[in-house]
Amino acid sequence: MTQHTHAEPEPANDRSDMTEDASSLTLLAEAQARIVNLEDEFLRFRAESENQRRRIMKDGENARKFAAEKLLQELLPVADTLMRGLEVAKSDKATIENLIEGKEATLRMLAKALENNGVKEINPMGEVFNPELHQAMTVQPAAEGVAPNSVVAVFQRGYTLNERLLRPALVVVSQA
C-alpha cells in the first residue's frame, strides 16, 4: 500500500511569512511616505526657484530702468542753471562778463556731476599720442621744441567711464 501523506504547513512558517509580509508592507508604506515628502519638497523647491528667478529678472529690469537715475539727479541742477542763464541772457541786465561767468559755473557743475558718476575727461594736450585713448585726425610737422608723436592740438576732448573709453579725444599729432 502506498502511503500518501499530505504535509500541512507548520504554524511557525505561517507566522514567519506573515511577519515578512507585514515588514514588507511597513517598508513599502515608509517608502511611499518618503516619496510623497520628496515630491512635496521638490515642488516647494521648484516654486521657490521660480520665484527667485522672477525676483532676479525684476531686479535686473529695474537696474536697467533706473541705472541713470543718480546721474540724472545730478544733471537736473545743471539744466536749471542753463535755463536761468538763458533768461538772464535775454534780459537787459546781461553783460558778457555775467554770461561767461554763468557758463563757467555751469560747466563746473556739469564736470562735477560727470566725475561723481565715474566719467573722466581726456584732455591730452602736450602728451604723447596714445591710440587707446586718442584718435589722430591729422598730423603736422613738429615745431621746434615739440617732441614727435605728441598731441599738439585737441579738436574734441575724450571721456572714460570707470576706466573704460567712452569717446576718444580727437587730436592733431606732431610728426618727426
Side-chain angles (χ1 to χ4, degrees):
M1 242 193 204
T2 321
Q3 216 176 16
H4 190 48
T5 32
H6 180 29
E8 299 218 6
E10 293 182 27
N13 280 346
D14 279 345
R15 285 188 192 139
S16 171
D17 287 345
M18 287 185 353
T19 304
E20 285 178 17
D21 287 347
S23 178
S24 294
L25 288 175
T26 302
L27 287 174
L28 180 62
E30 287 173 0
Q32 287 174 335
R34 180 144 167 76
I35 289 170
V36 167
N37 284 339
L38 289 173
E39 285 176 338
D40 186 50
E41 283 179 33
F42 171 75
L43 291 175
R44 275 193 303 240
F45 176 76
R46 192 166 78 181
E48 185 178 317
S49 295
E50 182 62 22
N51 289 338
Q52 186 175 14
R53 186 188 68 77
R54 284 187 189 129
R55 273 192 306 273
I56 289 170
M57 295 281 288
K58 186 177 180 184
D59 289 348
E61 185 179 314
N62 283 338
R64 281 187 299 281
K65 273 179 160 177
F66 301 109
E69 183 176 15
K70 180 181 178 234
L71 172 63
L72 295 174
Q73 285 176 340
E74 291 193 40
L75 289 179
L76 290 176
V78 176
D80 294 339
T81 302
L82 285 171
M83 285 186 267
R84 280 194 301 276
L86 190 56
E87 290 170 8
V88 168
K90 290 178 182 179
S91 75
D92 295 337
K93 301 175 187 177
T95 66
I96 296 294
E97 293 80 23
N98 287 348
L99 295 177
I100 291 172
E101 194 176 299
K103 282 189 177 249
E104 287 172 343
T106 305
L107 189 56
R108 283 190 302 272
M109 287 176 68
L110 178 60
K112 183 71 173 159
L114 292 173
E115 183 182 314
N116 289 345
N117 287 276
V119 177
K120 289 197 171 97
E121 183 180 275
I122 301 170
N123 186 9
M125 186 64 183
E127 295 178 6
V128 173
F129 176 73
N130 179 349
E132 292 181 16
L133 298 174
H134 314 142
Q135 182 175 338
M137 300 306 292
T138 186
V139 292
Q140 69 181 33
E144 195 174 312
V146 175
N149 202 35
S150 58
V151 176
V152 293
V154 178
F155 288 134
Q156 186 178 64
R157 294 176 185 182
Y159 294 91
T160 60
L161 173 62
N162 298 319
E163 308 302 319
R164 182 173 157 190
L165 186 66
L166 275 177
R167 180 178 83 187
L170 304 181
V171 299
V172 177
V173 180
S174 63
Q175 184 179 26

